[in-house]
Amino acid sequence: MSATALPGDPPGGRRALAVWGIGVSVYFVAVIFRTSLGVAGLDAADRFHVNASALSTFSILQLLVYAGMQIPVGLLVDRLGTKKVLALGAVLFTAGQLGFAFSPSYGTALASRALLGCGDALTFISVLRLGARWFPARRGPLVAQFAGLVGMAGNLVSTLVLARLLHGVGWTAAFAGSAAAGAVVFVLVLLFLKDRPEGHEPEPLPHQGAAYVRRQIAAAWREPGTRLGLWVHFTTQFPAMVFLLLWGLPFLVEAQGLSRATAGELLTLVVLSNMVVGLVYGQIVARHHGARLPLALGTVGTTAALWAATLAYPGPHAPMWLLIVLCTVLGACGPASMLGFDFARPANPPERQGTASGITNMGGFVASMTTLLAVGVLLDATGDDYTVAFSVVFVLQALGVAQILRLRKQAARRERERLVASRVETVHVPA
């Protein structure tokens, strides 16, 4: 890949890093709030007196709202810019976290998680657009992986800090206290965030009625790269998301016989592995664009193999070394899911980037939501048989791989056509 900047590329630099840093700080806080239930699942079951299916409904509803809003959020970002959308997101997810802290019943807690999911949904697509506006296109894969890394840092905070607060100061104080971070990033966005550098204003958009919205979505969907990105995201993200968001701690404690402290350390290992692998994947793809699909499929295959070995291990519990390897490999799922955006982004023009990213981002969250529900239902139906419940992972992986293999040639052919067309345009540009 060429290291030279494209015509009209943003300059990057320290100012870009500062502005983008404010944007990713909003995403960082959103992920802390999103994953806070992962360390509080057993506490939530006791607090609201619910079974596994009802417990999974917290995360399912949150992800249902998140996934359902991705296309509308993409359109909002394309239309309103990142500052307004990120500010609204901070207000909503902070209100959701506060509501969850003080919820007196299961119903009000559900409503709070839905509100949190709504605010969370506004963040990631906005951060991707902010990166595209402030950094050169060749930095796109690395910027996206860094955004994912910051998100995993938020997960690390919820795993380490919020878990200790929860068992130190109690439910209400832990969740209400963490909500203060949302107020801080809201103020930072209002005071310091800018949508784009001076001199890089986009072309004015036409009137955006319902017909325009339909055309925008349809045009993004027609691109094979957008659909391939969605299925890459679908297939790679959900095993780690389900593990970290809700079912990892119960699986390690109830099925594997570990203490909560040891289980928390393994969840932390997933997050740390994610951060390291994200840096590696970002560097590889920035240098070798063709490595995207092998990395994604390799991650899926390795994850499936480790899950199979863990679930099928003879004896009451899998050995610690196998659980460590499983958690290390699960850490690659997040960085692999970011590769989906590297298929969708070059397949769409700048004015459609938000919409295409929203479509792509739906994939992993739809898969996660489906798996969360299936695991909860199967646990209740089988008397907490985690081997049967977690076998649903293989079904969704098989579906996703089949779609990736079906779309890869179409996307590659379309990408070659765009490359040839861009070279022809460059040759005919007058000096």
Side-chain angles (χ1 to χ4, degrees):
M1 182 179 294
S2 173
T4 58
L6 299 173
D9 254 0
R14 292 182 180 178
R15 178 77 189 284
L17 283 171
V19 173
W20 186 74
I22 295 170
V24 294
S25 69
V26 181
Y27 178 55
F28 172 78
V29 174
V31 174
I32 294 176
F33 292 178
R34 178 202 302 169
T35 57
S36 57
L37 189 60
V39 296
L42 297 176
D43 300 86
D46 292 337
R47 181 180 177 86
F48 300 112
H49 310 291
V50 295
N51 61 14
S53 297
L55 181 61
S56 67
T57 303
F58 279 122
S59 296
I60 291 165
L61 178 61
Q62 184 179 332
L63 293 185
L64 178 64
V65 172
Y66 187 105
M69 286 189 63
Q70 287 310 291
I71 293 177
V73 168
L75 292 164
L76 276 175
V77 171
D78 287 338
R79 177 62 178 171
L80 300 178
T82 54
K83 181 170 184 171
K84 293 178 181 177
V85 177
L86 281 174
L88 178 59
V91 170
L92 293 176
F93 65 60
T94 302
Q97 188 78 339
L98 274 174
F100 197 57
F102 294 101
S103 291
S105 67
Y106 177 67
T108 54
L110 274 179
S112 297
R113 295 308 285 186
L115 185 63
L116 192 157
C118 184
D120 183 17
L122 298 174
T123 60
F124 186 65
I125 301 303
S126 299
V127 169
L128 288 181
R129 166 51 67 89
L130 193 67
R133 291 295 192 197
W134 280 91
F135 293 96
R138 70 183 186 278
R139 301 295 186 194
L142 198 56
V143 169
Q145 288 290 354
F146 266 112
L149 188 150
V150 170
M152 291 313 296
N155 200 328
L156 187 63
V157 168
S158 68
T159 302
L160 295 178
V161 179
L162 191 59
R164 292 183 180 181
L165 281 174
L166 186 64
H167 299 108
V169 301
W171 179 282
T172 301
F175 280 99
S178 65
V184 171
V185 295
F186 173 71
V187 172
L188 289 175
V189 168
L190 290 185
L191 293 180
F192 302 112
L193 192 134
K194 288 178 63 67
D195 284 335
R196 63 189 66 85
E198 291 80 3
H200 291 268
E201 288 72 18
E203 294 292 327
L205 293 173
H207 175 69
Q208 295 199 350
Y212 175 84
V213 170
R214 288 194 297 269
R215 288 196 302 271
Q216 190 85 333
I217 295 171
W221 182 255
R222 279 196 298 269
E223 289 290 345
T226 304
R227 285 176 280 138
L228 179 59
L230 179 147
W231 283 107
V232 167
H233 199 269
F234 177 100
T235 314
T236 53
Q237 187 202 47
F238 79 94
M241 175 69 73
V242 168
F243 198 80
L244 289 171
L245 199 60
L246 184 60
W247 290 122
L249 188 69
F251 169 74
L252 294 171
V253 172
E254 296 177 353
Q256 299 302 318
L258 302 180
S259 68
R260 289 177 66 127
T262 304
E265 290 171 358
L266 286 176
L267 293 179
T268 303
L269 176 61
V270 177
V271 177
L272 292 174
S273 173
N274 184 299
M275 297 171 76
V276 173
V277 174
L279 290 174
V280 174
Y281 278 17
Q283 292 286 352
I284 292 173
V285 175
R287 290 173 169 80
H288 308 286
H289 209 50
R292 294 170 300 171
L293 204 55
L295 285 174
L297 293 175
T299 301
V300 173
T302 307
T303 303
L306 265 297
W307 261 122
T310 302
L311 296 176
Y313 192 85
H317 306 305
M320 179 58 72
W321 68 263
L322 183 55
L323 294 176
I324 289 173
V325 175
L326 171 67
C327 291
T328 302
V329 170
L330 284 174
C333 292
S337 72
M338 300 301 297
L339 300 173
F341 298 101
D342 291 324
F343 289 101
R345 184 172 46 248
N348 292 272
E351 65 271 13
R352 237 178 22 233
Q353 292 283 315
T355 305
S357 295
I359 293 172
T360 300
N361 207 32
M362 285 179 63
F365 289 93
V366 169
S368 297
M369 182 175 57
T370 303
T371 308
L372 285 166
L373 175 61
V375 170
V377 170
L378 288 171
L379 285 174
D380 285 339
T382 61
D384 292 338
D385 188 330
Y386 280 89
T387 299
V388 173
F390 273 105
S391 295
V392 73
V393 168
F394 307 119
V395 177
L396 270 71
Q397 285 182 321
L399 171 63
V401 169
Q403 294 298 321
I404 290 170
L405 296 178
R406 182 179 68 85
L407 288 164
R408 60 175 179 165
K409 291 184 178 179
Q410 298 178 38
R413 182 170 60 250
R414 188 80 174 91
E415 192 167 331
R416 286 194 298 270
E417 291 172 356
R418 284 194 303 271
L419 183 59
V420 170
S422 66
R423 287 175 176 171
V424 170
E425 290 178 5
T426 301
V427 168
H428 288 89
V429 171

